[in-house]
Amino acid sequence: MQTDSQRTTRSGPGGAELARRIVVLVFGLIQIVIGARIVLLLLDAREANALVSAILDISQVFVAPFEGILRTDSLRAAGSVLDVTAIVAFVGWTILELIVLWVIGIFGRRSSAATV
């Protein structure tokens, strides 16, 4: 008598790794938009341009929570603007990303240790 058994192996990232990748993607997109805002304002890009306007509008959503933290929100010289608030927002979102990744790492280790 012969019995056939199948062994199923799962390839691909586990739950914690998948969550980490999603967090890195989301925060990466936020950082790209804020970085583009900083560069566009430094280069005195025309806000009448649809692409520039869209980037500034989208990034404003992520910069707004950080407005008013410092006494100076921006520095202006010859048409260029150094958006200090956007720089603070970039740092703030990066710190938040690191905290979320740290928490995912803690729970990821705990769940993998439980399955061993």
Side-chain angles (χ1 to χ4, degrees):
M1 180 172 181
Q2 184 179 24
T3 58
D4 292 333
S5 64
Q6 286 185 333
R7 173 179 255 176
T8 304
T9 58
R10 184 171 56 120
S11 63
E17 176 62 18
L18 184 61
R20 188 191 71 77
R21 289 180 184 184
I22 291 170
V23 166
V24 169
L25 174 68
V26 169
F27 280 96
L29 292 173
I30 292 171
Q31 292 162 341
I32 287 171
V33 170
I34 294 173
R37 174 191 184 92
I38 294 168
V39 170
L40 289 172
L41 290 174
L42 274 175
L43 296 176
D44 193 22
R46 291 182 44 226
E47 293 183 32
N49 180 292
L51 180 61
V52 173
S53 178
I55 290 171
L56 293 177
D57 289 343
I58 292 168
S59 64
Q60 183 60 33
V61 172
F62 303 109
V63 172
F66 297 91
E67 288 179 348
I69 289 178
L70 302 175
R71 289 180 189 240
T72 304
D73 287 337
S74 61
L75 303 172
R76 300 173 189 279
S80 292
V81 177
L82 176 61
D83 193 349
V84 178
T85 303
I87 294 170
V88 171
F90 189 92
V91 171
W93 284 105
T94 302
I95 291 171
L96 184 61
E97 175 186 17
L98 293 173
I99 292 169
V100 170
L101 290 173
W102 176 69
V103 169
I104 290 172
I106 288 174
F107 288 112
R109 276 186 251 126
R110 195 175 283 165
S111 66
S112 65
T115 59
V116 172

